């Protein structure tokens, strides 16, 4: 497939292979993404609508689908002072959402409750974090519920002890399940509005348990979310299909690592492409900087020759 830029129009030269249903879906995504990038550029040219803050990149599990053990960047927990600086700027620009997670287990950050309280006190109301749920009890749970986020997403990829512990290596099935059930009881008792979502990534190891998972959790939590595995931008995408549409992440969100460095996106798990550093720069300065401008141009042109992470990412298909 070849792309030819002609002013405002993009002509797509199709081979016979393009006529498959998979390619037709991608063509539709391509057209939608072209429109979306223009809209997002106009709406959020000054500041990202979503800021993802990695409170820590330590983790207490070795999940079989996650490259965390291969991480080479420094393990760290973000200081409260740096978080306060970030939250202050986000509050000033009235961001739409803040995520307090990225590539680690947020509950290993003993200051997570304090950070939630800081963000809430600054008027940031849409705050969520992703957790494996294994530490969601005792003082940690209390600290979170004292400054409740708008959403907690909990990863549970098995309906039985055998499958769960095979996938979420190092965690205990009963502990996580009981933590979630207790969280729902506390939410009801305290009349909290926090939405609790249980997530599932479909893998060969758990595919046979999807319906059992759904049946057990559907009436117990606010929502269940069943997704599919992606490749963490680590290898050529399966099927060998070319990426033919822009990813919207460079327009939608900014990912700040625990050290304060800003990564290409949430899938740049090892911090290979650093856009800036909020210890030395403002978020706005990085968002409007030359590096992100070039990355956005590459996505609009669907030319990832200088962006190997994007070229390998299955999320872009």
């Amino acid at each position: 497939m070849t792309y030819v830029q002609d002013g405002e129009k993009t002509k797509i030269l199709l081979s016979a292979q393009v006529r498959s249903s998979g390619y037709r879906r991608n063509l539709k995504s391509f057209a939608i993404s072209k429109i979306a990038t223009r809209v997002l550029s106009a709406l959020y040219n000054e500041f990202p609508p979503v800021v993802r803050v990695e409170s820590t990149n330590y983790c207490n599990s070795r999940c079989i689908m996650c490259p965390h053990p291969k991480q080479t960047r420094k393990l760290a927990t973000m200081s409260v002072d740096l978080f306060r600086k970030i939250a202050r700027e986000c509050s000033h620009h009235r961001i739409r959402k803040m995520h307090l997670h990225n590539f680690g287990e947020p509950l290993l950050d003993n200051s997570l409750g304090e950070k939630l309280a800081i963000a809430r006190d600054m008027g940031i109301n849409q705050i969520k974090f992703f957790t494996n749920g294994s530490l969601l009890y005792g003082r940690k749970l209390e600290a979170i519920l004292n400054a409740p986020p708008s959403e907690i997403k909990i990863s549970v990829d098995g309906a039985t002890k055998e499958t769960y512990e095979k996938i979420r290596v190092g965690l205990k099935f009963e502990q996580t399940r009981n933590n979630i059930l207790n969280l729902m009881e506390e939410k009801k008792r305290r009349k909290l509005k926090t939405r609790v979502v249980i997530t599932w990534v479909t893998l060969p190891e758990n595919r046979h348990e999807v319906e059992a998972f759904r049946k057990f959790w559907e009436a117990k939590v606010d929502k269940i979310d069943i997704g599919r595995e992606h490749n963490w931008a680590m290898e050529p995408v399966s099927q060998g299909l070319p990426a033919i549409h822009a990813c919207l992440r460079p327009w939608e969100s900014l990912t700040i690592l625990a050290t304060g460095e800003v990564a290409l996106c949430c899938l740049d798990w090892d911090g290979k492409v650093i856009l800036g550093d909020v210890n030395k720069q403002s978020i706005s300065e990085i968002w409007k900087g030359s590096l992100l401008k070039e990355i956005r141009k590459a996505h609009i042109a669907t030319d990832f020759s200088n962006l190997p992470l994007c070229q390998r990412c299955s999320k872009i298909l």
Side-chain angles (χ1 to χ4, degrees):
M1 180 174 290
T2 305
Y3 301 94
V4 182
Q5 296 294 330
D6 180 16
E8 290 295 312
K9 298 179 181 178
T10 303
K11 297 178 181 177
I12 305 175
L13 307 180
L14 303 173
S15 65
Q17 187 184 24
V18 176
R19 297 186 182 94
S20 71
S21 61
Y23 275 90
R24 285 197 296 271
R25 285 195 300 272
N26 280 355
L27 288 174
K28 182 179 179 181
S29 296
F30 174 78
I32 292 170
S33 72
K34 296 292 283 188
I35 297 168
T37 55
R38 292 180 184 178
V39 172
L40 289 169
S41 294
L43 288 174
Y44 303 117
N45 62 321
E46 294 294 322
F47 204 81
V50 178
V51 175
R52 180 185 298 259
V53 183
E54 183 181 75
S55 58
T56 185
N57 62 329
Y58 283 96
C59 193
N60 61 338
S61 181
R62 300 180 304 281
C63 304
I64 62 173
M65 64 289 201
C66 179
H68 194 277
K70 298 179 181 178
Q71 189 175 207
T72 61
R73 64 183 171 97
K74 178 183 176 182
L75 290 172
T77 296
M78 182 176 286
S79 71
V80 172
D81 286 344
L82 179 56
F83 178 78
R84 185 178 285 108
K85 175 182 183 288
I86 292 166
R88 187 178 294 116
E89 188 179 0
C90 289
S91 174
H92 176 75
H93 286 275
R94 299 180 181 178
I95 63 162
R96 192 160 55 85
K97 289 182 183 178
M98 176 179 281
H99 298 180
L100 261 174
H101 65 266
N102 185 49
F103 199 62
E105 171 47 53
L107 291 170
L108 288 172
D109 174 9
N110 291 327
S111 61
L112 182 63
E114 185 178 358
K115 288 168 181 169
L116 284 166
I118 288 169
R120 284 176 60 87
D121 289 347
M122 290 187 180
I124 302 171
N125 297 317
Q126 292 298 312
I127 314 167
K128 78 171 186 178
F129 67 86
F130 235 117
T131 174
N132 60 40
S134 64
L135 302 173
L136 201 57
Y137 64 92
R139 291 181 181 178
K140 290 181 182 290
L141 176 61
E142 188 67 23
I144 289 163
L145 297 184
N146 284 340
S150 54
E151 183 174 273
I152 300 174
K153 300 188 84 168
I154 307 169
S155 302
V156 181
D157 301 308
T160 62
K161 177 181 174 67
E162 180 183 6
T163 300
Y164 176 86
E165 294 182 6
K166 181 179 180 181
I167 294 171
R168 300 241 156 214
V169 178
L171 305 185
K172 298 298 181 184
F173 176 70
E174 294 89 351
Q175 177 73 62
T176 301
R177 182 187 60 191
N178 292 342
N179 288 350
I180 298 169
L181 295 174
N182 180 57
L183 169 63
M184 297 309 296
E185 289 178 10
E186 284 298 305
K187 176 190 168 179
K188 182 178 180 180
R189 185 176 71 82
R190 301 180 190 217
K191 300 179 181 178
L192 299 177
K193 295 181 179 179
T194 300
R195 186 166 82 147
V196 178
V197 181
I198 305 300
T199 71
W200 167 287
V201 176
T202 302
L203 304 166
E205 292 80 4
N206 66 8
R207 195 179 305 275
H208 62 290
E209 291 186 0
V210 173
E211 287 310 311
F213 164 82
R214 193 194 305 272
K215 185 177 180 180
F216 181 83
W217 287 112
E218 205 159 30
K220 294 180 174 67
V221 295
D222 299 311
K223 182 184 176 184
I224 61 171
D225 187 356
I226 297 175
R228 61 179 183 176
E229 187 180 13
H230 60 83
N231 72 350
W232 290 103
M234 288 177 62
E235 56 195 22
V237 292
S238 59
Q239 304 161 311
L241 297 175
I244 66 165
H245 64 82
C247 175
L248 299 183
R249 285 178 176 82
W251 288 268
E252 286 183 325
S253 64
L254 198 74
T255 299
I256 305 174
L257 304 181
T259 57
E261 293 177 306
V262 175
L264 174 61
C265 74
C266 57
L267 293 164
D268 184 7
W269 52 271
D270 209 22
K272 295 298 186 185
V273 181
I274 298 300
L275 306 175
D277 188 336
V278 295
N279 290 288
K280 306 168 186 175
Q281 301 163 276
S282 68
I283 295 172
S284 181
E285 189 180 350
I286 297 168
W287 184 251
K288 295 187 288 187
S290 59
L291 279 174
L292 254 178
K293 284 180 180 177
E294 290 303 312
I295 289 165
R296 291 176 187 129
K297 285 179 184 178
H299 274 264
I300 290 170
T302 59
D303 176 8
F304 307 117
S305 54
N306 293 319
L307 289 170
L309 281 173
C310 301
Q311 197 171 45
R312 295 194 302 263
C313 186
S314 60
K315 290 275 190 177
I316 213 165
L317 290 174

